[in-house]
Amino acid sequence: TMKIFFCLCLSMFLTCLHSQKIEVGKDKTIKTIKKAIELANPGDTIVVYKGVYKEGNLIVDKKIILQGNGLPILDGEKKYEVISIKADSVTFAGFKIINSGYGSLNDPCGIKIYNKTAVTIKNNILENNFFGIYVQKGIGCIIKNNTIKAYQKEEQRIGNGIHCWKSDSIQIIGNRISGHRDGIYFEFVSNSIRETATHASKTYKSTLASFRVLEAIGRAEYISTDIPKEGKQTSLRFIKIHELSASLTK
């Protein structure tokens, strides 16, 4: 056991020792995020400075930290999935993601995680995307403190704010979601799903189905809902969660 612990510590130390910071911006040597990702090694940090970046679909296929400085804007120009995460242990924080493409077959997103583990998406703003954040077969991912807004009026042109499919141990914490078809949508999701203080845009008459679904999932936890005090001109809001394999017969 001590040998394993020592090896893990050594691996972390060597990663930190050899990691570098790559800066991206109009006044920097590297002007594009794609170039920075190409140059990066696992463990590196890419800092992207304020500006508007129209780079189509950005694929993050290395274990790196992508950090926005001054809330840089990544614009999908209504054509592309903006960020595709295809590596484990990626951190993506501090960006504004706008104008993803639209499509009912491939569900283009502001940010999508593809079959990866321990990805963190935090402190971002997502506006006018088909789907906001989509976790596909993710394990141990964290979606935290993001603001997600959609403006389309036709429901068929709006996806979900946060959509999780065939995923495990996902933590969704402190997000603000408005305008999307469903705030958070879980499909075949299991094991200690946590939702803390997340507000969804939709208003529903009952939370009963949501709690029944969570009971059927098993080891899931539903930590809190947004329940307005009596007398205020607001309705009960909660996260609409679907688990298609669950039994709703209770």
Side-chain angles (χ1 to χ4, degrees), residues 108-169:
C109 311
I111 305 169
K112 188 169 183 177
I113 299 169
Y114 288 84
N115 306 25
K116 295 303 172 186
T117 299
V119 173
T120 298
I121 299 173
K122 63 181 180 179
N123 304 329
N124 301 288
I125 296 173
L126 295 93
E127 291 187 355
N128 201 35
N129 300 293
F130 183 48
F131 278 73
I133 299 171
Y134 195 126
V135 184
Q136 173 185 292
K137 295 186 178 180
I139 299 174
C141 298
I142 298 172
I143 313 297
K144 184 176 181 180
N145 295 342
N146 301 285
T147 299
I148 305 171
K149 298 180 180 180
Y151 302 108
Q152 294 286 347
K153 293 183 179 180
E154 298 177 13
E155 186 165 298
Q156 64 269 24
R157 297 191 66 86
I158 308 171
N160 300 319
I162 298 174
H163 188 108
C164 300
W165 181 71
K166 289 190 176 181
S167 295
D168 187 276
S169 304

Side-chain angles (χ1 to χ4, degrees), residues 68-100:
N69 185 315
L71 203 66
I73 297 170
L74 310 186
D75 187 350
E77 303 179 81
K78 299 183 180 180
K79 300 177 185 177
Y80 308 101
E81 179 167 281
V82 186
I83 297 291
S84 302
I85 297 177
K86 299 184 177 183
D88 294 328
S89 303
V90 169
T91 296
F92 184 87
F95 291 86
K96 186 172 184 178
I97 311 296
I98 64 172
N99 300 332
S100 78

Side-chain angles (χ1 to χ4, degrees), residues 24-31 49-51 53:
V24 178
K26 62 180 182 180
D27 299 325
K28 306 297 179 181
T29 303
I30 300 170
K31 310 293 184 186
Y49 288 89
K50 186 175 181 178
Y53 299 83

Side-chain angles (χ1 to χ4, degrees), residues 164 166-170 172 184-195 209-222 239-250:
C164 300
K166 289 190 176 181
S167 295
D168 187 276
S169 304
I170 307 299
I172 299 175
I184 298 176
Y185 189 105
F186 287 172
E187 187 176 356
F188 305 114
V189 174
S190 59
N191 294 333
S192 300
I193 314 311
R194 297 169 185 262
E195 190 289 307
S210 178
F211 283 108
R212 282 177 175 169
V213 168
L214 283 165
E215 288 171 359
I217 289 173
R219 288 165 286 175
E221 294 181 47
Y222 194 84
I239 306 309
K240 186 178 180 183
I241 299 177
H242 299 264
E243 159 56 44
L244 298 187
S245 65
S247 170
L248 301 181
T249 57
K250 286 187 179 182

Side-chain angles (χ1 to χ4, degrees), residues 5-19 63:
F5 178 74
F6 175 76
C7 290
L8 287 171
C9 290
L10 181 61
S11 176
M12 292 174 63
F13 173 75
L14 291 174
T15 298
C16 293
L17 190 65
H18 292 97
S19 63
K63 177 186 173 181

Side-chain angles (χ1 to χ4, degrees), residues 199-210:
H199 296 241
S201 61
K202 299 263 184 158
T203 300
Y204 304 100
K205 294 181 180 179
S206 170
T207 62
L208 183 60
S210 178

